Amino acid sequence: MSTPPAPAAPLTPAAAWRLARPGFLWVTVAAVALGLAMAAACGCGFDPLRAGVTVALAVLAHAAANAWNDYHDALNGADAANPAPLSPFTGGSRVIPSGDASPAQARALALGLTGLVVLGGMWLALGAGGGLIAIGAAGVLLGWAYSAPPLRLMARGLGELTVATAWWLVVLGAYHSQRGQWSVVAAASALPFALLVAAILLINGVPDAPWDARVGKRTLAVRVGPIGVAALYTALVVLAHGGLVASVLAQVTPRVGWWGLASLPLSLAAAALLWRHVARAAPVTALRPAIVLTITAALVHALALTAAFATVAATL
């Protein structure tokens, strides 16, 4: 197992920024926006300061999880062995393999960011109650357990379930930060988005699968293979949008929740590209459009639902 070069200089802001993988943080921003819009739609007031703090803490928690992932993938050799032909979508941030940061620096960054999240979360909980502490603690634990031994959930084929749960909790945490309570509407309406986020991880696992398998990372993509990934991906995106339809018809999600179906054409297009990739045994670089569509679908879904709930809030 090769050891990444360790830089002698302190971690630079640019390297820290890359370790956070800023491009993916927009998914978390969209998740928080959705939760805040749901809270506003209840007509119980809206606190802009708490909303801003919630966004910042959720982004920091996501960045910490990304740093943890790079740290542990440096230790197990996954990123060093992976040429990452679809960077920045797959193969980690590439900061450690390039020598711009050491594993110890990535670990220190993850710990520092987690500390900020804990402190900020305690402040939010003063006004939102102990339920927010439980949601936040679960989210932080999942971010760590996704990569870290002994759990290494992503290496046990549980990465997608972990990610879906984590981003479901992000939406619920944002809602709880404003309302201070649980909501069936928020819980049900956040599930389709959580499934679409899981689809991002699933399709991203395909290019990394050969390299992950070499170092013992038995991700879901490694376990089920390309055909299995295509089938699971299709099931996920259909279930996500079907779940939204069911929630609207059951009058749990407001009627304007139909707007969330704006992501369906993007998801179906990505699924078609994925199946074509599998059928043709094309190079992994051919997956780039499907990955971009998958990320875009999750963002569009969250933003469309955010707009829908914001419209409800505006009529109150």
Side-chain angles (χ1 to χ4, degrees):
M1 183 181 301
S2 61
T3 302
L11 183 66
T12 66
W17 179 250
R18 289 167 55 202
L19 278 168
R21 303 183 210 172
F24 287 101
L25 300 182
W26 288 109
V27 176
T28 295
V29 174
V32 175
L34 177 56
L36 294 175
M38 289 177 180
C42 292
C44 302
F46 185 80
D47 189 324
L49 175 59
R50 296 180 66 81
V53 172
T54 302
V55 173
L57 293 179
V59 168
L60 291 177
H62 186 179
N66 287 342
W68 277 125
N69 184 246
D70 270 26
Y71 167 69
H72 288 289
D73 277 353
L75 296 187
N76 63 38
D79 284 350
N82 190 342
L86 287 179
S87 182
F89 301 112
T90 65
S93 71
R94 315 308 298 166
V95 177
I96 296 176
S98 69
D100 293 329
S102 68
Q105 288 172 332
R107 180 177 181 272
L109 178 65
L111 287 171
L113 294 175
T114 301
L116 291 175
V117 171
V118 170
L119 291 175
M122 292 174 64
W123 179 83
L124 278 179
L126 291 176
L132 185 60
I133 294 179
I135 292 172
V140 170
L141 176 62
L142 288 174
W144 169 81
Y146 173 83
S147 303
L151 297 179
R152 298 184 71 221
L153 297 174
M154 50 82 182
R156 302 179 188 276
L158 298 174
E160 285 72 14
L161 177 61
T162 302
V163 163
T165 304
W167 265 265
W168 181 68
L169 289 174
V170 170
V171 179
L172 294 189
Y175 178 92
H176 203 291
S177 71
Q178 292 284 322
R179 295 291 317 282
Q181 62 186 41
W182 173 266
S183 164
V184 173
V185 173
S189 301
L191 276 174
F193 169 71
L195 293 176
L196 292 179
V197 176
I200 297 175
L201 182 65
L202 181 61
I203 194 171
N204 280 7
V206 175
D208 289 343
W211 320 104
D212 288 341
R214 290 184 183 183
V215 297
K217 282 181 63 176
R218 301 272 301 160
T219 64
L220 194 55
V222 171
R223 291 168 184 266
V224 304
I227 294 178
V229 167
L232 285 172
Y233 180 95
T234 305
L236 271 178
V237 300
V238 170
L239 181 60
H241 293 93
L244 176 62
V245 170
S247 185
V248 172
L249 291 177
Q251 299 183 353
V252 176
T253 300
R255 184 174 300 177
V256 287
W258 290 112
W259 295 3
L261 293 178
S263 55
L264 179 57
L266 300 171
S267 292
L268 293 179
L273 289 174
L274 178 56
W275 277 110
R276 187 170 69 174
H277 168 81
V278 171
R280 297 181 177 180
V284 293
T285 51
L287 275 177
R288 186 179 295 271
I291 291 175
V292 171
L293 282 171
T294 302
I295 297 171
T296 304
L299 289 171
V300 167
H301 183 87
L303 294 177
L305 272 185
T306 297
F309 277 98
T311 299
V312 173
T315 62
L316 298 176

